Amino acid sequence: AKRAPSVTHVLRCAAKRLKEGGVDSYRLDAELLLMTVLGWSKEDLYRNPEVVLQAPQVEGFKSLVSRRVRAEPVAYITGTKAFWSLDFRVTPDVLIPRPETEHLVEAVLDFIALRSDPCRILEIGTGSGAVAVCLAKECARAQVWATDISAAALDVARELSLIHI
């Protein structure tokens, strides 16, 4: 009888498939996709390497790995992207928040720190709302507005864009 696959086994197989598919961050992507299927944290993966996956979990994971091999971004597959230590909801209707954009948040916060007057911020083209939400969270004295021409993007941002604050 064929033995049911463990967390370690499916991660190893998925990482190999992703690497062969040309995915640079193959190990990390495999972990993120398995975390999504299982509803686990990264710590859970490492604490439970021998846990055996059930057939629906294996099939769901294979499906996500196939999407990633076809060059679909992990953030669109999982529906979330970490930005400024927060998890934001993302869909193909918005751009994925990039680590480089955190420099923009830092620059605005540095600028605001030099000012004593009331602060009003308008983000045009908010997408997921990541920049506006982070600025509002980090600067309580700021009034922050965010807008976008895309109704679909505004729907994503309206969900507060935040999974966890």
Side-chain angles (χ1 to χ4, degrees):
K2 186 177 177 183
R3 187 172 172 256
S6 68
V7 166
T8 300
H9 177 77
V10 297
L11 276 177
R12 188 177 306 118
C13 292
K16 181 177 186 245
R17 182 163 179 227
L18 291 168
K19 184 177 183 179
E20 290 169 353
V23 175
D24 290 334
S25 54
Y26 54 90
R27 176 66 189 196
L28 174 62
D29 290 3
E31 291 171 350
L32 291 170
L33 297 175
L34 187 56
M35 289 162 47
T36 297
V37 168
L38 299 177
W40 286 7
S41 68
K42 187 170 263 195
E43 293 78 20
D44 293 332
L45 288 181
Y46 288 103
R47 284 188 198 126
N48 301 289
E50 297 308 316
V51 166
V52 173
L53 276 64
Q54 301 303 312
Q57 295 169 317
V58 173
E59 291 309 310
F61 183 54
K62 284 180 180 179
S63 173
L64 299 187
V65 170
S66 293
R67 289 170 62 185
R68 184 66 188 115
V69 168
R70 291 190 304 269
E72 185 174 349
V74 171
Y76 290 155
I77 296 170
T78 64
T80 63
K81 177 65 177 171
F83 182 85
W84 201 262
S85 302
L86 302 171
D87 290 329
F88 286 86
R89 177 155 155 55
V90 294
T91 72
D93 295 314
V94 300
L95 296 175
I96 298 167
R98 300 185 51 81
E100 298 83 5
T101 308
E102 291 187 357
H103 297 301
L104 172 65
V105 173
E106 290 171 357
V108 172
L109 292 173
D110 289 346
F111 176 78
I112 292 171
L114 300 173
R115 305 177 59 92
S116 59
D117 54 329
C119 180
R120 292 183 207 112
I121 299 168
L122 170 62
E123 183 186 20
I124 299 172
T126 195
S128 68
V131 171
V133 168
C134 291
L135 290 172
K137 183 177 187 298
E138 294 294 330
C139 187
R141 67 185 178 96
Q143 293 179 339
V144 181
W145 291 274
T147 188
D148 203 297
I149 194 170
S150 165
L154 287 175
D155 287 342
V156 173
R158 263 191 207 101
E159 292 178 29
L160 266 187
S161 300
L162 281 174
I163 307 302
H164 305 287
I165 294 183

